[in-house]
Amino acid sequence: MAAGGSKAQGSGGGWFVAATIGLALCIAGTEYERYTALWVFETRSVAELASIVLFIAAVLAVLVNRTLRRKERFYRNKPFLAVLAAVQTAGLAGRCAQAMGIAFSEPISIAVSVAMHCASILFVVYAEFFLDVGVRKAVSAFAFGIAGAGVLQILVLAFEWQVAVGALVLFVPGSVGLLMWSDAQYLDGMREVEREDIAAEVRDSEGFARDFPFWEYCISIALLEVLLIALHSTVMVTQDSGDASFVIQVTSGIGTLIAGAVFYALVRYLQETEFLELLRILVLPLVLVGLYVSALFGASGVPLYLVPLAVAYSILLLFVWTVPRNYRKGNTPFVFTCIAYFSYRAGWALGVYGIMILPDRFGDLLGTAIVLVVFSVLLISSAVRLLQFRRNSARRIDKAKEAAELQANTDIAFAEACARVSRRYQLTPREGEVLVLLARGRNARHIAEALVISDGTARTHIMHIYQKMELNSQQVLMDIVDAELREVMGEVQ
């Protein structure tokens, strides 16, 4: 078992690197129109927004339906991925034609915009792929991916317009190819190792899903996106396909790169739940405050303004990428990912409509009123959540005291049961420590972290324990310790 796990881990680097690069291309592909130094477009129409939202809703509905009925993995569906790449590329070709001055009829122009959003569907498929790995790998991949997207956003400026557009055309097909290759390299042995981490992740996520209703999370995602669209629109009026657009693109790329570096640094030193809570409670509000302060500088503060704006966008996208993992009703977190991503895109459409279209018809005060309403709703919901948390805290403290007393008695009996099993099978002191953690259902990664040893050493100890006890599964070991525990508890009574 240990040797198989080590082999799986050792050969796992290639698929992870390829999938991360593919994710970077995918994220860059979903943000083509942020490459503002290449082209500038008019404000979207209501028909275009509605078509994009309906397209995304329809495709995601099909993915959800097929997932619930067939448990299908879409990252393994090569024809589906090929169609996404082809339609996305056709849409990008149409957008390039528009940028060169070729006029399309309104229906064709709308079809081009809709086709461009196939990259959004590919982002959801990448999220499905990373649902099959532990959350730390998923967050690390996102951190590198978002940073890579920022680097790509800057690098395209180093080339002539024609060369840059040619590179953009390859983003989504390249992303699809890397996803297919990564899946082919991600062998069953590696999946088995990751499945242990996911089992522990499911246990840890139960409290989060209970405390934070999914509908509340989706509404928050949509409202935050509306707020960010409002902030984003104040900068987009400075686009000129020249120096101003160049500065916008470079600073946006730098902000995205900074966000990826921060995510990776934080997830290395924090537990997964702590990491998300820190971003939600501290980092995101600080970023929004930074946006407000930088806005006071006016046009001269555009670079300063765009860096925290890019970080805020990255945090919101990370929530869409990560938080649905905590909702596993029916063991279908991909369904929640689809719904969360639709909330993100619905917030985008509402923001564009309410901030960029309605004010042109009814005056700028309407746009300001919408922003104030959204901000007020977010503020009130946060206050309500805080009050609920405080009320529940007292109850949890009382329950925790009762549980602590019961757990203390149980822990003593459990330690004695493990000690008896260790003596019976002549385990070494270190193997005895590993046995205790195995009997509690921990996997090799958690054992290595708890005992401050390498994964390979932990797996070697596990292999020796299995050999001495003549076992072939962790469940059998847990049953042996459980039987011994019942005897100990009976003696105490």
Side-chain angles (χ1 to χ4, degrees):
M1 174 179 175
S6 300
K7 181 180 179 181
Q9 281 194 329
S11 58
W15 73 263
F16 182 78
V17 171
T20 301
I21 295 173
L23 178 61
L25 293 172
C26 175
I27 294 174
T30 62
E31 304 292 343
Y32 280 123
E33 295 184 15
R34 288 178 63 187
Y35 291 76
T36 52
L38 296 178
W39 45 54
V40 178
F41 296 102
E42 299 297 328
T43 303
R44 297 181 185 277
S45 66
V46 176
E48 184 179 357
L49 284 176
S51 299
I52 291 171
V53 171
L54 288 175
F55 167 74
I56 293 176
V59 176
L60 292 180
V62 171
L63 299 187
V64 168
N65 180 62
R66 292 175 70 95
T67 298
L68 292 175
R69 294 179 61 183
R70 304 185 183 181
K71 304 296 182 183
E72 185 175 353
R73 292 288 192 270
F74 292 97
Y75 60 80
R76 292 182 169 178
N77 191 327
K78 294 181 180 179
F80 173 70
L81 294 176
V83 168
L84 284 182
V87 175
Q88 171 78 41
T89 303
L92 182 58
R95 186 64 90 209
C96 292
Q98 288 178 310
M100 291 186 291
I102 300 176
F104 292 152
S105 64
E106 184 178 5
I108 295 179
S109 180
I110 290 175
V112 167
S113 294
V114 170
M116 291 280 287
H117 281 77
C118 284
S120 298
I121 305 302
L122 182 59
F123 177 83
V124 176
V125 176
Y126 260 97
E128 180 191 32
F129 177 79
F130 278 99
L131 282 170
D132 285 343
V133 305
V135 65
R136 281 190 176 272
K137 278 194 178 72
V139 174
S140 297
F142 182 87
F144 285 121
I146 201 76
V151 171
L152 290 171
Q153 191 171 356
I154 298 171
L155 284 180
V156 293
L157 295 176
F159 302 96
E160 295 293 332
W161 188 89
Q162 294 82 356
V163 177
V165 169
L168 296 180
V169 170
L170 297 176
F171 278 9
V172 170
S175 179
V176 166
L178 288 168
L179 179 59
M180 292 179 179
W181 188 86
S182 300
D183 180 52
Q185 297 299 311
Y186 189 38
L187 304 177
D188 290 339
M190 304 176 196
R191 297 181 194 278
E192 193 64 35
V193 173
E194 296 293 347
R195 199 165 287 123
E196 296 179 2
D197 291 341
I198 294 173
E201 179 185 321
V202 171
R203 291 193 297 271
D204 295 339
S205 69
E206 292 175 355
F208 183 95
R210 184 172 55 252
D211 291 340
F212 297 94
F214 185 68
W215 64 267
E216 181 181 300
Y217 158 73
C218 289
I219 292 175
S220 298
I221 289 290
L223 292 178
L224 281 170
E225 177 67 353
V226 171
L227 185 58
L228 291 179
I229 287 294
L231 296 169
H232 184 76
S233 65
T234 62
V235 177
M236 290 301 100
V237 296
T238 64
Q239 294 182 83
D240 60 359
S241 291
D243 292 340
S245 291
F246 183 91
V247 171
I248 288 174
Q249 184 165 329
V250 170
T251 50
S252 295
I254 291 173
T256 307
L257 177 59
I258 290 173
V262 171
F263 295 161
Y264 183 70
L266 289 178
V267 81
R268 287 193 65 186
Y269 298 104
L270 296 175
Q271 294 297 322
E272 291 82 356
T273 304
E274 295 173 338
F275 168 69
L276 291 174
E277 285 298 285
L278 181 64
L279 289 180
R280 185 178 67 86
I281 295 173
L282 180 61
V283 177
L284 186 56
L286 286 177
V287 168
L288 295 178
V289 170
L291 283 169
Y292 173 76
V293 172
S294 59
L296 299 179
F297 290 90
S300 62
V302 167
L304 181 65
Y305 183 84
L306 279 170
V307 170
L309 182 61
V311 173
Y313 267 118
S314 300
I315 292 175
L316 191 58
L317 201 58
L318 175 65
F319 287 162
V320 174
W321 176 263
T322 306
V323 175
R325 303 175 73 99
N326 294 296
Y327 301 92
R328 293 179 176 269
K329 185 177 181 180
N331 198 29
T332 53
F334 179 60
V335 172
F336 293 97
T337 300
C338 291
I339 298 172
Y341 190 77
F342 177 75
S343 300
Y344 174 75
R345 281 301 174 182
W348 166 80
L350 289 173
V352 172
Y353 179 71
I355 305 303
M356 299 181 181
I357 297 178
L358 280 182
D360 289 340
R361 300 180 180 179
F362 301 102
D364 292 337
L365 286 177
L366 179 60
T368 303
I370 291 174
V371 172
L372 289 175
V373 168
V374 169
F375 185 77
S376 298
V377 171
L378 286 170
L379 187 63
I380 292 171
S381 64
S382 298
V384 170
R385 170 58 58 190
L386 180 60
L387 291 174
Q388 290 176 343
F389 178 78
R390 293 187 66 180
R391 282 198 300 266
N392 293 335
S393 292
R395 300 174 189 171
R396 290 175 179 172
I397 290 173
D398 293 337
K399 291 182 179 179
K401 288 181 179 178
E402 296 176 2
E405 293 177 359
L406 178 62
Q407 187 62 42
N409 295 330
T410 303
D411 285 345
I412 294 173
F414 183 80
E416 176 59 24
C418 289
R420 291 184 181 183
V421 172
S422 295
R423 289 194 295 270
R424 182 187 310 162
Y425 292 98
Q426 298 180 350
L427 303 182
T428 66
R430 179 58 97 179
E431 290 169 353
E433 295 175 356
V434 174
L435 172 72
V436 172
L437 295 172
L438 280 174
R440 292 191 181 278
R442 299 296 187 264
N443 58 38
R445 193 196 78 180
H446 285 82
I447 292 173
E449 291 178 355
L451 300 181
V452 194
I453 57 179
S454 68
D455 284 358
T457 301
R459 294 182 188 281
T460 299
H461 287 311
I462 294 172
M463 180 183 66
H464 290 163
I465 292 171
Y466 280 27
Q467 289 174 345
K468 290 181 179 180
M469 297 180 66
E470 298 182 354
L471 304 178
N472 56 14
S473 74
Q474 187 176 8
Q475 185 58 53
V476 176
L477 182 148
M478 294 169 66
D479 291 341
I480 293 174
V481 173
D482 187 57
E484 193 68 39
L485 177 61
R486 287 196 295 270
E487 290 187 15
V488 173
M489 296 293 289
E491 293 174 4
V492 172
Q493 294 175 356

